[in-house]
Amino acid sequence: MTLRLPAADGTLRTYRPRTDPLPPAAGAPLVSRTVLAAAHVVADPYADVSPDSPAAVDWDATLAFRRHLWSHGLGVAEAMDTAQRGMGLDWDGAAELIRRSAAEAKAVGGRIACGAGTDQLTGGTLAEIRAAYEEQLAVVEEAGARAILMASRALAAGAAGPEDYLEVYGHLLRQCAEPVILHWLGPMFDPALKGYWGSPGLDTATEVFLEVVAAHPEKVDGVKISLLDAGREVGLRRRLPVGVRCYTGDDFHYPELIAGDEQGFSHALLGVFDPLGPTAGRAVRLLDTGDVQGFRSLLDPTVELSRHLFQPPTRFYKTGVVLLAWLAGHQSHFTMVGGLQSARSLPHLARAYELADGLGLFPDPALAEERMRTLLSLYGVTR
């Protein structure tokens, strides 16, 4: 059987899907690296909603996907950008997601960390921003999860300069019950975060970020860097205080950053590990044995798919992630909260399918082919 896949130039090309399924992977815990997959949410396709409505989530399917990630040895980074935080999932929905996922993690023994931000605000004073962070931190801590301090759109809009970031983050870190992960999300993921840490220049912003960490190293488990700049991440990683981890959020260079060099390595907190969960788990187990070459041989070929999913406008990478979850059989539909299944073109989605199929990512290639054929027919591509 073949599929006719649309190319970016409007032509159709013939593609022959592979027939061998994804091999099963052992689920032993990962040892040499801490690996968190930022997980997507599954929308309720039967909910009567509009793009302006609160998100309607299929909780059973959403939690089942987290169990899938845990079964392959990965941890879950919950209520993050991949879960459409601020792009369809509001704070009320995120709070429920955090509570449900943290309870599920406790029940099955899964690792979890959850995002705390200020998305209940559209703006505000520094005091209001601090209070919003505190409200969300309380939800995460009461759920028994590690907190990830997310970048704040309200702070990016309201801060007068670096001193305001130092004040807000210092205030929060002093009162955190447990060490947190600090998250620096670049404007390619969220344009509203341009100039974060008080400067449009990355060199100056990096110094402010490191000053926050250096002032409270005992309260920082690690930092998550999502700038798609491997050199900057390595330079920053080498300057972290002893005991503070670097979690790569670089969906373009993750194999080399996780493998590391003679001076250190990055752990991982990645959106692309949502569709790559089994492969990532298998690769890190090789790294656990010291087999860096085997690790790279598994993960390096996935970078082309990741770069495709995260191509500009990068913030819409979630559409490809959810497409692959549907094709892989983790959910029964290709529907997203906020209607974001329409955020990428058919040629983009077709290429994502082709790359994922070529990597052998689908447990049931025949199911993936059937579902892709259905999607193509909805767009008017005939046999």
Side-chain angles (χ1 to χ4, degrees):
M1 297 289 288
T2 61
L3 292 174
R4 299 172 70 214
L5 299 181
D9 62 3
T11 61
L12 293 172
R13 65 186 185 282
T14 298
Y15 176 72
R16 185 176 299 277
R18 66 188 300 155
T19 57
D20 51 315
L22 176 71
L30 308 181
V31 177
S32 61
R33 304 290 188 272
T34 299
V35 179
L36 302 171
H40 75 282
V41 293
V42 182
D44 179 354
Y46 304 122
D48 185 11
V49 296
S50 71
D52 296 327
S53 303
V57 177
D58 180 337
W59 294 112
D60 289 341
T62 294
L63 294 177
F65 188 77
R66 279 127 184 87
R67 292 193 296 273
H68 154 73
L69 292 171
W70 286 320
S71 75
H72 291 284
L74 281 71
V76 169
E78 189 56 277
M80 301 295 291
D81 186 55
T82 309
Q84 294 183 243
R85 191 76 181 267
M87 290 185 68
L89 187 70
D90 62 13
W91 165 235
D92 288 340
E96 184 170 1
L97 177 63
I98 289 166
R99 294 186 182 104
R100 287 175 179 261
S101 291
E104 194 73 14
K106 184 177 181 179
V108 304
R111 182 192 293 267
I112 191 167
C114 302
T118 65
D119 45 327
Q120 67 270 58
L121 299 178
T122 55
T125 64
L126 292 186
E128 290 168 333
I129 292 167
R130 288 195 304 267
Y133 264 126
E134 290 167 348
E135 177 189 355
Q136 297 200 13
L137 277 168
V139 170
V140 174
E141 291 178 349
E142 288 166 6
R146 183 173 298 280
I148 304 169
L149 275 185
M150 303 173 69
S152 164
R153 291 175 178 174
L155 185 55
E163 64 282 355
D164 287 342
Y165 289 88
L166 295 170
E167 192 279 326
V168 169
Y169 278 90
H171 174 86
L172 296 171
L173 289 172
R174 283 190 293 271
Q175 64 180 284
C176 287
E178 299 289 340
V180 304
I181 298 172
L182 294 181
H183 187 191
W184 184 358
L185 189 69
M188 67 289 293
F189 290 94
D190 186 345
L193 299 177
K194 186 176 182 180
Y196 212 71
W197 304 110
S199 173
L202 288 180
D203 289 342
T204 301
T206 297
E207 296 305 317
V208 177
F209 183 63
L210 287 170
E211 186 175 348
V212 170
V213 177
H216 309 277
E218 75 286 354
K219 290 297 187 78
V220 181
D221 166 83
V223 299
K224 192 240 179 175
I225 312 299
S226 298
L227 299 175
L228 305 182
D229 183 336
R232 182 169 297 278
E233 178 174 322
V234 170
L236 190 153
R237 183 175 77 194
R238 292 174 178 171
R239 296 176 62 191
L240 291 173
V242 174
V244 177
R245 310 179 196 212
C246 180
Y247 293 87
T248 187
D250 189 330
D251 300 278
F252 285 3
H253 307 99
Y254 51 94
E256 65 195 72
L257 290 165
I258 297 171
D261 55 31
E262 66 283 353
Q263 296 186 50
F265 57 82
S266 294
H267 299 272
L269 198 169
L270 288 163
V272 76
F273 279 2
D274 178 301
L276 293 181
T279 301
R282 188 181 297 110
V284 175
R285 286 187 195 93
L286 290 174
L287 202 56
D288 290 345
T289 69
D291 185 359
V292 177
Q293 183 176 355
F295 167 83
R296 293 295 298 265
S297 70
L298 276 180
L299 273 198
D300 283 359
T302 69
V303 172
E304 184 179 5
L305 170 63
S306 187
R307 286 177 176 261
H308 176 74
L309 296 177
F310 286 79
Q311 69 182 225
T314 301
R315 63 189 182 278
F316 294 119
Y317 73 88
K318 298 94 164 171
T319 302
V321 165
V322 174
L323 170 80
L324 296 182
W326 173 55
L327 295 176
H330 295 298
Q331 56 192 80
S332 61
H333 58 85
F334 179 39
T335 305
M336 297 175 66
V337 297
L340 280 187
Q341 66 272 10
S342 64
R344 292 292 202 186
S345 68
L346 183 61
H348 178 91
L349 300 177
R351 181 61 177 158
Y353 161 74
E354 183 178 8
L355 289 170
D357 184 64
L359 291 167
L361 295 187
F362 299 127
D364 184 345
L367 174 66
E369 177 187 346
E370 176 189 351
R371 289 184 169 184
M372 192 64 208
R373 195 181 301 279
T374 298
L375 182 64
L376 291 167
S377 70
L378 289 174
Y379 279 80
V381 179
T382 63
R383 290 177 184 268

